[in-house]
Amino acid sequence: MLLGTNVDNYDVKPQDTEPESIGLQATLTIKVVDKNGNVKSKFTVKSHSPTYNFIALLEYIVGKTVTITAIDGTQINTHGLYQFFVCSVAIAVGSGTSSSPFNQTNLVATIPNGNGAGQLVYGSTNVSNSITGSGNALSFEIYNVFTNASNTTVSVSELGLIVNVQFVLNDTYEPYNVLVWYDTIPTINLAPGDALTVTYTFTINP
Amino acid sequence: MLIGETKGYDSDVLSLAKSSSLHNGLKSYYIVLVKDKDGRILDYRDGGLRSLTGYFLWLVANIFDLYDYGFYYPGINPLFYCGCNYTVTNGSYSIVLGSGSQTFSPNINKLAAPIPGASINPSITYNITSSGIPQIIFYGEYANNSSSPITVSEFGLQLTTKYCSSNITLSPLLTYDTLSQPVNVPVGGSISVAIVINLTG
C-alpha cells in the first residue's frame, strides 16, 4: 500500500511485527469411563465456536441494543431493557450436528436428562475456583458428567454451553435459557453404565 | 473511497481488518491507520495482538456466570453480584490511546501514559473467517482536534462499567498493545484502530 493514496486500490502488507496472540482459546476434553471406572477413551480437541448470542451478550453488557434468541426460539430485543443477570451455566449434550455453529440457538437434538432409553443423567455443573496458569497464559474450566443409566447405547455428537439469563421486563424477572457456545464432536457411543465427562477450558495467551 | 474524501474512515479500517493478510491466520491482530486532515493515508500498521489481559478472561467468566459456582478472580469484583442488579446502561467499551509503553503482564490495567481525551468509542461487529474462525472486531476513529500533533505508541481495549449498580466504577483493560514504532497524528488528522480478537484459536 502506498501512503498518501486511496486505501482501496492497493494491497496491504504488514509493516509491524508478526502476530503474537491467538486470542481466546477454547478446548474440549472428553473422557469416557465404564461402569467400573475404567477409562475407555480420553481426548482433547479444539472447541470451535461461540454463538451469536455470546457476541450479543458482550455488547449488551454495555447497553447496546441486540437481539438474543433463546433455545425455545423466543427472540428478546434488548431495547429499553436496562437490567439483566446471568443465573447459571450448564453443559448440554445432543445427538445432532450443525455446519453453522455460530448461528446455532439450540442443540440440534438435545439428549434429555433422565435414565430412560436415549437419555443421560446430567450431573451438576462444576467450574474452576479461580483463574489458573502461569506467565501470560491463564485459564478456567467448566465441566460436567453425563451418565448413561439406561439399558441402551446413547450417542453424543454435539455439545453446548447454555446460560440462564434473566431480563427485567416491567419490574418482572423473565428467565430465558440461551445457547452461547456450540460444538460438534466425533460421535461417542455411551454403553449402559458409561459416564461421559465434558470439560471446557478457556485460555488466553496459550 | 476517493482521495480527499472526508468520510468513511471507520469502514475503511473495518475493511482493512477483514482483508488483512492476517485475516486467515490463527492470530488476533490490530490495524492502525493514520490520515491527514484531507483523508490521505500517512501511516498504516498491522500486527498481532501481543496479548489479551486476564480481565478479558474475567469478562468471559462473567458471561458464563462462574461466580455463582464459587469462582474468584483476584483484584476485581464480578459484574453480576449483589442480587444481580446489574444496570447495563452504565457500560461502555473504548479504545484508549497512549504515548508510553510498558512490559505486558496479564494483570496490566491501564496504559503507561494515556493521552488525555484520546479515546475511541468503537463500533462492534463480528466476522467469520474463511477458515471458520469467529472474530469480534472493535473499531473506530479518533480525530485529533487539538492544536498540536499527538504521538501514539500504545493502545488498549477498555471496559467501563459499574459494579452492582453502585457508584463503584470498574474499568478493566481487556487488551494492551504497543506499536513497534509510534505513529504521529497531525493536527486535524485522525487515527483509526481496529482490534480483531479471535474467539477460538
Side-chain angles (χ1 to χ4, degrees), chain A residues 1-9 12-26 46-50 52 54-55 57-64 81-90 102-103 125-131 135-142 161 163 168 173 180-181 202-205, chain B residues 1-3 12 16 21-22 26-28 30 33 40-54 56-57 59-66 68-74 79-80 83-89 91-93 104-106 121-122 124 126 128 134 136 159 161 165 179-181 197-201:
Chain A
M1 180 177 69
L2 299 177
L3 301 183
T5 56
N6 185 328
V7 67
D8 292 336
N9 295 336
V12 174
K13 303 299 182 187
Q15 293 182 333
D16 235 318
T17 58
E18 289 302 309
E20 300 283 348
S21 170
I22 69 165
L24 179 69
Q25 183 185 69
K46 283 186 177 180
S47 168
H48 289 102
S49 191
Y52 171 77
F54 179 81
I55 305 291
L57 286 174
L58 284 178
E59 294 190 72
Y60 182 53
I61 272 180
V62 296
K64 306 272 187 187
L81 302 180
Y82 61 92
Q83 286 187 336
F84 86 119
F85 56 96
V86 184
C87 288
S88 63
V89 63
F102 187 75
N103 296 315
T125 301
N126 294 280
V127 306
S128 306
N129 289 328
S130 184
I131 298 283
N136 293 342
L138 302 174
S139 64
F140 65 73
E141 292 181 346
I142 305 172
L161 283 172
V163 294
V168 181
Y173 293 116
V180 292
W181 213 272
F202 291 86
T203 305
I204 57 166
N205 315 319
Chain B
M1 183 183 72
L2 298 175
I3 295 173
D12 284 346
L16 288 168
S21 58
L22 302 173
L26 296 177
K27 310 295 185 181
S28 299
Y30 65 84
L33 188 65
R40 295 185 179 90
I41 300 167
L42 298 177
D43 207 339
Y44 168 81
R45 309 290 179 88
D46 65 9
L49 284 181
R50 303 306 198 279
S51 246
L52 307 180
T53 71
F56 189 90
L57 205 57
L59 179 59
V60 175
N62 275 283
I63 295 290
F64 293 155
D65 188 42
L66 301 196
D68 277 344
Y69 297 86
F71 179 82
Y72 169 73
Y73 192 95
L79 287 177
F80 309 105
C84 305
N85 293 316
Y86 176 67
T87 303
V88 299
T89 51
S92 67
Y93 291 105
F104 178 83
S105 90
N121 179 20
I124 305 171
Y126 63 88
I128 307 291
I136 186 167
L159 170 68
T161 187
S165 302
L179 298 171
S180 57
Q181 295 293 328
I197 300 173
N198 287 357
L199 291 172
T200 51

Side-chain angles (χ1 to χ4, degrees), chain B:
Chain B
M1 183 183 72
L2 298 175
I3 295 173
E5 190 173 341
T6 57
K7 59 184 179 181
Y9 294 165
D10 283 0
S11 59
D12 284 346
V13 78
L14 178 60
S15 175
L16 288 168
K18 290 184 176 181
S19 64
S20 166
S21 58
L22 302 173
H23 172 71
N24 282 318
L26 296 177
K27 310 295 185 181
S28 299
Y29 54 92
Y30 65 84
I31 303 287
V32 172
L33 188 65
V34 180
K35 295 179 179 178
D36 67 13
K37 62 183 175 56
D38 297 318
R40 295 185 179 90
I41 300 167
L42 298 177
D43 207 339
Y44 168 81
R45 309 290 179 88
D46 65 9
L49 284 181
R50 303 306 198 279
S51 246
L52 307 180
T53 71
Y55 301 108
F56 189 90
L57 205 57
W58 163 87
L59 179 59
V60 175
N62 275 283
I63 295 290
F64 293 155
D65 188 42
L66 301 196
Y67 285 91
D68 277 344
Y69 297 86
F71 179 82
Y72 169 73
Y73 192 95
I76 187 167
N77 290 312
L79 287 177
F80 309 105
Y81 205 59
C82 303
C84 305
N85 293 316
Y86 176 67
T87 303
V88 299
T89 51
N90 284 336
S92 67
Y93 291 105
S94 55
I95 298 173
V96 289
L97 308 175
S99 57
S101 67
Q102 59 190 321
T103 302
F104 178 83
S105 90
N107 296 322
I108 206 166
N109 203 22
K110 59 183 179 182
L111 301 183
I115 299 170
S119 171
I120 296 169
N121 179 20
S123 298
I124 305 171
T125 189
Y126 63 88
N127 185 51
I128 307 291
T129 72
S130 57
S131 304
I133 297 173
Q135 303 174 317
I136 186 167
I137 304 174
F138 298 84
Y139 67 99
E141 179 201 51
Y142 172 74
N144 181 15
N145 293 321
S146 72
S147 57
S148 57
I150 62 171
T151 299
V152 176
S153 56
E154 60 178 348
F155 61 93
L157 178 67
Q158 188 168 44
L159 170 68
T160 301
T161 187
K162 301 284 188 181
Y163 163 60
C164 293
S165 302
S166 71
N167 291 322
I168 301 172
T169 297
L170 302 177
S171 53
L173 201 61
L174 305 177
T175 73
Y176 175 79
D177 275 273
T178 56
L179 298 171
S180 57
Q181 295 293 328
V183 295
N184 296 306
V185 184
V187 173
S190 67
I191 177 171
S192 297
V193 179
I195 296 175
V196 185
I197 300 173
N198 287 357
L199 291 172
T200 51

Side-chain angles (χ1 to χ4, degrees), chain A residues 111-135:
Chain A
I111 296 172
N113 181 9
N115 56 14
Q119 299 179 334
L120 293 172
V121 176
Y122 282 47
S124 301
T125 301
N126 294 280
V127 306
S128 306
N129 289 328
S130 184
I131 298 283
T132 59
S134 60

